[in-house]
Amino acid sequence: MTELPSRRLLLVHAHPDDESINNGATMARYAAEGAHVTLVTCTLGERGEVIPPELRHLTGPALGAHRRGELAAATAALGVRDVRLLGGAGRYGDSGMMGLAENADPGCFWQADVDEAAGRLAEVILEVRPQVLVTYDDHGGYGHPDHIQAHRVAMRAVDLAAERGHRVAKVYWNRVPRSVADAAFARLQDELSALPFDKSATVDDVPGVVDDERITTTVDGTAYAAAKAAAMRAHATQIEVAEPCFALSNALAQPLFTTEYYELVRGAGQPGETDLFAGLDLGEAS
């Protein structure tokens, strides 16, 4: 087996584009520094709303196939080469937004058996042996069924992998400190007239915003701002980028964060960390 780098990071996301919005700068930084970065995406986002008019004919499997290509381009921009689709392409379908009839589709990720899906993810963990795993909180950041399910599957997979001999030393949830979000939206109001968006979103539209004291770890990715923006642009069906902002299909401007924030929920760490691997003996959990 090929020897893996001493630092190994695994991120678990629901759809193509989530990785770039939430963790693009972090992924680019660690990849550039020589860490092994693995991304597991749970669905192809077949039910996403398409922004460009010329691509709105794409729906269902055709949209999923297109978004798979967007994911490949985005991760290439981030320098990430190890990209997995949980269970293989199309194994778990996009569940749509919470409360829609599509949530009941037996083939969607929301309806997946958590232990079965977690077993598939545990196989990746046992192969890659990450010391650090990043995913969403138990609300999925903003309540999307696939994000909630990704959280459940990721946390269960950590337990299953531990039972089989590999302990993930640190588990983080994606976060944004409220003070940072408030300040960014205040700046956005001043910048909005120069942007191609008529209105801004609000802090409540940003997934994972929490009170500042819950933030344990800050990753400065400003040196990788261009890589994150390029990755987000690659997801053209879902994101319109106009630095220092972006918008989703609702056309509401949001700040594009290049410093990214995390809450350590498993493992030992100290508030004020600036490195996801802080405090680890890199021979640990190897």
Side-chain angles (χ1 to χ4, degrees):
M1 179 177 177
T2 303
E3 187 69 22
L4 291 168
S6 60
R7 295 187 300 168
R8 300 181 294 278
L9 168 63
L10 173 65
L11 302 100
V12 180
H13 276 291
H15 315 104
D17 81 356
D18 293 324
E19 80 297 327
S20 298
I21 295 170
N22 286 276
N23 310 111
T26 298
M27 295 170 72
R29 172 181 158 178
Y30 283 111
E33 291 177 355
H36 187 94
V37 180
T38 301
L39 170 66
V40 176
T41 302
C42 298
T43 81
L44 289 172
E46 301 91 338
R47 292 191 166 108
E49 295 181 0
V50 176
I51 295 173
E54 66 274 17
L55 295 176
R56 287 179 188 162
H57 64 283
L58 294 171
T59 59
L63 177 57
H66 187 90
R67 293 189 69 180
R68 186 179 183 184
E70 291 181 337
L71 179 63
T75 50
L78 299 174
V80 173
R81 298 180 177 85
D82 188 3
V83 182
R84 319 287 183 99
L85 297 170
L86 185 63
R91 176 63 183 82
Y92 300 109
D94 187 339
S95 307
M97 298 298 288
M98 187 66 83
L100 297 180
E102 288 82 358
N103 299 167
D105 183 339
C108 79
F109 190 45
W110 184 237
Q111 294 297 325
D113 180 88
V114 170
D115 278 348
E116 178 192 48
R120 296 175 187 275
L121 181 58
E123 292 293 340
V124 178
I125 293 174
L126 292 166
E127 175 190 342
V128 178
R129 306 190 310 279
Q131 295 103 339
V132 177
L133 183 145
V134 172
T135 191
Y136 316 104
D137 65 13
D138 55 1
H139 185 57
Y142 72 108
H144 192 293
D146 290 330
H147 287 240
I148 295 170
Q149 189 78 320
H151 159 86
R152 293 172 177 169
V153 167
M155 300 303 287
R156 180 62 178 141
V158 168
D159 292 337
L160 293 176
E163 292 170 5
R164 296 176 59 186
H166 177 76
R167 183 178 68 86
V168 177
K170 300 176 86 174
V171 177
Y172 291 94
W173 292 345
N174 295 306
R175 292 300 192 196
V176 178
R178 190 168 303 279
S179 67
V180 169
D182 285 342
F185 274 95
R187 290 192 300 272
L188 177 56
Q189 298 310 310
D190 295 333
E191 298 164 348
L192 196 58
S193 62
L195 295 171
F197 311 118
D198 293 331
K199 297 180 180 179
S200 75
T202 69
V203 170
D204 291 340
D205 295 314
V206 177
V209 174
V210 292
D211 292 340
D212 290 27
E213 57 266 25
R214 293 187 62 175
I215 304 300
T216 59
T217 312
T218 301
V219 176
D220 183 355
T222 53
Y224 303 95
K228 176 167 180 169
M232 290 175 66
R233 283 193 179 94
H235 291 290
T237 60
Q238 306 299 302
I239 308 172
E240 183 178 357
V241 177
E243 294 175 81
C245 301
F246 73 97
L248 302 174
S249 59
N250 59 14
L252 299 177
Q254 297 188 41
L256 194 163
F257 295 109
T258 55
T259 296
E260 294 167 346
Y261 302 88
Y262 301 91
E263 179 182 2
L264 178 65
V265 296
R266 291 195 188 179
Q270 295 293 328
E273 291 177 343
T274 58
D275 177 9
L276 297 176
F277 294 89
L280 291 184
D281 174 353
L282 293 178
E284 177 186 3
S286 63

